[in-house]
Amino acid sequence: PDAFAFGRTVPQGGFVIVKPYENLAEGKIGINKYYQLDNMGNIGVENVRPLSKNSLDFQTRDIPKGIRVPRSRIDFSPKYGRGYSYVLGEKAPVVIIGRIVDENEDPFRLIYGNIQGGDINKQFFTNRKGIFMASVKEGRSYIISIPGKQKKIKVKIKKRDMGTINLGTLKIDR
């Protein structure tokens, strides 16, 4: 089976098995105010109405670093005597932020640049202050470049890096 949880028998209706992502259970997670996700593992939510819309609401506090819960509610419609398996949480993205300036400290305003590394090849845009943001993966090296400029900036994101990483001011000659 894809998921397993202890609970009461399901005489009628449907059920949902909620599986915490990695170490998410170390935080405080409430489900529909009646269930508490803990280190015991999966939770079986039984006696949900079959063939009609049901919802699970998640209340989260003190989530471990590097994990996020993108939705605070899921909706589902189980068939009679059937259920769903839902993984709660996911790996949080790593976001790099930086400011690109020239040799005179003037920002590169409202331009696009490229970030490349591994299977990532994407564009980013700077604002009026030369600040950019991009979502990347941890444990990789990237090259940041501006089209038409010779200099390329190498950035290494460590495996243990999480959340938002401020690269500071990056200089590229005009």
Side-chain angles (χ1 to χ4, degrees):
D2 185 36
F4 177 81
F6 288 104
R8 294 181 280 183
T9 59
V10 182
Q12 56 183 305
F15 62 92
V16 176
I17 296 175
V18 179
K19 301 186 298 183
Y21 178 81
E22 289 186 4
N23 60 342
L24 180 64
E26 292 174 8
K28 292 182 173 68
I29 311 294
I31 303 172
N32 282 6
K33 298 180 184 174
Y34 301 108
Y35 301 92
Q36 184 71 34
L37 193 61
D38 56 24
N39 290 325
M40 293 293 291
N42 302 338
I43 290 183
V45 179
E46 68 279 331
N47 289 331
V48 296
R49 294 181 321 270
L51 306 173
S52 59
K53 182 179 175 184
N54 293 270
S55 298
L56 287 182
D57 294 306
F58 305 110
Q59 300 82 38
T60 60
R61 279 192 0 236
D62 303 330
I63 294 175
K65 192 171 182 179
I67 297 177
R68 72 181 188 128
V69 177
R71 297 168 51 185
S72 62
R73 175 189 189 117
I74 61 165
D75 297 320
F76 57 96
S77 299
K79 294 183 179 177
Y80 185 78
R82 304 245 173 130
Y84 287 91
S85 172
Y86 181 75
V87 177
L88 179 63
E90 64 187 23
K91 187 169 189 66
V94 176
V95 176
I96 57 173
I97 185 168
R99 182 170 183 248
I100 301 177
V101 298
D102 64 13
E103 63 277 0
N104 298 322
E105 298 290 323
D106 292 325
F108 279 83
R109 294 180 171 97
L110 306 173
I111 61 162
Y112 78 94
N114 297 308
I115 184 162
Q116 297 172 315
D119 58 348
I120 292 180
N121 184 5
K122 61 170 73 173
Q123 290 184 334
F124 62 84
F125 297 91
T126 63
N127 66 10
R128 293 181 191 278
K129 295 180 181 179
I131 298 172
F132 74 95
M133 287 183 8
S135 178
V136 297
K137 296 179 182 177
E138 78 284 347
R140 299 205 177 157
S141 293
Y142 295 95
I143 296 174
I144 298 173
S145 62
I146 303 293
K149 306 299 174 197
Q150 294 288 342
K151 186 173 182 183
K152 297 180 185 330
I153 298 170
K154 293 182 182 178
V155 176
K156 174 134 177 86
I157 307 300
K158 297 178 183 131
K159 192 78 168 160
R160 65 181 179 272
D161 287 340
M162 297 181 218
T164 302
I165 300 167
N166 190 342
L167 301 175
T169 300
L170 309 174
K171 288 190 179 184
I172 295 181
D173 295 337
R174 283 206 192 259

